[in-house]
Amino acid sequence: MGHAVMTHTQNQITTTLTALTPNAQDAFTRYMEQADNAGTNHDYRTAMACAALTAGIPLPDGGEIALCACPNCWDCQQIFDANTPDAHPFGESDGYNLGRIQCPLCTDRHRATDEQ
Ligand SMILES: [Zn+2]
Ligand SMILES: [Zn+2]
């Protein structure tokens, strides 16, 4: 984790789920579920690309975005680059492709302990 090299030359790749239209929120959730359940890397990448497109943000260099899974403010809804060094992965992904990650702001404000 945290090995991604970011150039910080591009605009912040972030938005919130609540900023999207209800239809887009639906689609975004479906694409993230597709990514989570993808059987191949190709399917995973495709689902991630579609999710980013739906959220209206550019796909980050790492090809992965995440929805904040902060357990301390469950309505954060931040969508961000999953590989940003400021984010905080925690807990277990439990057999799925996607781990649980806190957005940089939540990592800063109330970092989760490393438990389920
Ligand atoms: Zn957050
Ligand atoms: Zn939070």
Side-chain angles (χ1 to χ4, degrees), residues 68-74 76 102-103 105-107 109-110:
C68 182
C70 181
N72 298 318
C73 66
W74 49 270
C76 168
Q102 277 184 297
C103 74
L105 197 65
C106 287
T107 300
R109 289 187 179 171
H110 37 74

Side-chain angles (χ1 to χ4, degrees), residues 2 7 26 31 43 68 80 83 99 103:
T7 59
D26 261 19
Y31 286 130
D43 288 351
C68 182
F80 57 99
N83 292 300
C103 74

Side-chain angles (χ1 to χ4, degrees), residues 3 8 10 12 23 32 52 59-60 74-75 100 102 113:
H3 57 273
H8 292 288
Q10 56 197 335
Q12 278 245 307
N23 277 349
M32 290 304 275
L59 191 66
W74 49 270
D75 58 349
R100 297 195 298 165
Q102 277 184 297
T113 52

